[in-house]
Amino acid sequence: MRTARVLAGLVLVATFAAACGVAADDRAAVVLGTPVSTATVDELAADEAFLQAIGGGLPGTESVVPGDSARAALGFEVQRTAAATELERWGLTLDDALVDEARGSVEQQVPPGLSERALDQLAAFVAATTALGNRLTAIDPSNEEDLRRLYDGAPSLWSRTCVAVLAVAEERAEAVVDLVGSGRPLEEAAAEIEESQLVFDPAEACVPTAQLPVGLREAIERATPGSTPPPVTIESQNGPVAVFFRVDGRERLGFEDEATQEQLGSIIEQFGGSQAPSQAAGFWLNLILPDAVDVNPRYGRPVVGPSGTFEIAPPEGPVVSIGPEPIAVPPAEVPDQVPAEVPADGTGATPGPPVTQDPTATPTP
C-alpha cells in the first residue's frame, strides 16, 4: 500500500532540526554548538578512498564537489562531531591506546589511497563511538546522576504533542474532508477509506514534536487544539500523500514523571541489548540529533533513513497545503475545552514512546 510505505517516512524517517541558523559562510553545519567547516567537508568529499569507506558518491575536484559526495562527507562529520561532543558532556576523554587501536582497525578495512586527514577523522569517529558506547552500556538504572544526564541530553523527547495523524493517498483527500466535515473523527477514516493509515493515535501515545517531519511539525505547531486544519501534502517517491491531523494537546514531561522514568529505562535497556558499544552510541546519537543539528541549506537537510542511519538528504521541495481554510467540523464535535498543555500526570492523553531509530531493527510507532 502506498501510504504504508510513505508513512514509514513519517515514523522511521525523523526529520531533524530545520536547515536554519547556519549562515552561508564557512560552516557546513553546527552540531551541539560545534561548527563543522566547509573546508573539512570539501576535503573529505574529494577523497575517493574515504567515500568508498563510508559508501559515499564520486569524488570531487578542487572546484567542483558533487552534491551526493558533499552530503555523505557532511553526514559523517556531523556524526563524528556529535560523538566527540557528547563524549565530553559525559566527562570522558579518549586515551591514546584506544585511538591507536581504532586507527589500526580503520587501516585494515579501508581501500588503499586514503588521505592522512581522512584516516584521522575515521579513527577519531571509531574511537569516540566506542568510548561513548562503553559508557552508555555501563549505565546503572538506579544512578540518578546518569539518568539526569540522559534526560538533559535528549530534550526533544520530553516536549510532546498529543495528535491524531492520518495519511491518505492524495486522490482520496476529499473523502477525508467530507468525513471530518460530517462530524466524524480522523480515527475512523483509516477503517473506512482505502489507502489511508492512522499513523499516530493520541489515545495511545503523545509524539515527540521535534521528531516529526519538519513541514508537518510546523503545521502542527501552528494548529489550534481541537481543530482539523487543511492537510499537508508530502511528496514521496510514489506520489503525493495528504496528511491530516488534529492536535488534542501538548505536554512537557519532567524528569520525575513516571512516563519519563519508564522511557529512560527503555533507553538503558536498548543500550544493554546492543551488540557492540558503537551500536549503543549510534542509537543515542539518533535520539539527541533532533535538537542538535543545523545544516547550511546549500548542502541539504539532515534526516535518519529507514535503516536508522543518519544522513544529509538533498534540499526538500516545498510542502503545500490543500485548501486555505480548516475543515468545518460541526460545533458539537469540537471539545469545549482542550488544554494547550496536557498535564503529564496521567490526566491527559497517555504519553507513549518516542519516535526513535534503532540501527539494527525496524522501529514501530
Side-chain angles (χ1 to χ4, degrees), residues 17-319:
C20 61
V22 178
D25 53 17
D26 63 349
R27 295 174 297 170
V30 176
V31 184
L32 292 167
T34 302
V36 175
S37 73
T38 56
T40 297
V41 172
D42 291 347
E43 182 178 350
L44 294 176
D47 190 321
E48 183 174 4
F50 171 80
L51 292 174
Q52 290 179 15
I54 66 170
L58 297 174
T61 65
E62 292 184 358
S63 58
V64 178
V65 177
D68 288 347
S69 301
R71 286 186 286 271
L74 177 55
F76 167 82
E77 273 297 290
V78 166
Q79 294 180 75
R80 187 197 61 76
T81 303
T85 305
E86 188 65 4
L87 198 64
E88 293 179 6
R89 191 178 73 87
W90 283 86
L92 302 173
T93 56
L94 291 177
D95 60 69
D96 293 339
L98 180 57
V99 175
D100 290 342
E101 181 182 350
R103 188 182 184 91
S105 175
V106 170
E107 287 177 322
Q108 293 177 8
Q109 298 181 51
V110 298
L114 189 70
S115 69
E116 197 68 20
R117 177 66 179 278
L119 177 58
D120 288 342
Q121 298 297 84
L122 285 168
F125 173 73
V126 172
T129 53
T130 300
L132 178 60
N134 283 332
R135 179 64 177 87
L136 296 175
T137 55
I139 288 176
D140 181 351
S142 64
N143 186 317
E144 183 173 330
E145 182 180 352
D146 280 357
L147 292 179
R148 284 190 175 276
R149 192 169 280 163
L150 285 176
Y151 176 83
D152 292 340
S156 64
L157 292 184
W158 320 118
S159 293
R160 301 183 177 186
T161 302
C162 305
V163 59
V165 176
L166 175 81
V168 62
E170 189 181 42
E171 59 268 22
R172 297 187 178 275
E174 288 301 324
V176 178
V177 173
D178 293 342
L179 184 146
V180 174
S182 69
R184 307 280 292 283
L186 286 175
E187 288 85 342
E188 294 184 8
E192 298 191 20
I193 299 176
E194 293 183 6
E195 294 198 56
S196 67
Q197 181 182 357
L198 186 65
V199 185
F200 296 119
D201 184 345
E204 297 180 358
C206 296
V207 185
T209 311
Q211 294 188 343
L212 292 167
V214 63
L216 177 60
R217 183 181 75 232
E218 291 172 351
I220 285 176
E221 289 173 340
R222 292 193 303 265
T224 301
S227 67
T228 303
V232 172
T233 298
I234 295 180
E235 291 293 335
S236 77
Q237 59 184 354
N238 297 305
V241 172
V243 181
F244 292 81
F245 64 89
R246 184 198 68 247
V247 174
D248 288 351
R250 299 177 176 89
E251 65 181 15
R252 173 72 187 179
L253 298 182
F255 175 74
E256 302 291 347
D257 292 330
E258 181 179 354
T260 300
Q261 294 298 310
E262 291 178 356
Q263 185 61 53
L264 292 173
S266 176
I267 291 171
I268 293 172
E269 287 182 7
Q270 183 71 41
F271 293 156
S274 300
Q275 297 179 354
S278 59
Q279 189 180 70
F283 173 75
W284 177 242
L285 293 179
N286 279 339
L287 289 183
I288 68 173
L289 284 172
D291 274 358
V293 183
D294 289 330
V295 171
N296 188 321
R298 75 182 179 92
Y299 284 92
R301 55 194 172 90
V303 300
V304 171
S307 65
T309 57
F310 181 85
E311 59 189 48
I312 304 297
E316 191 171 30
V319 178

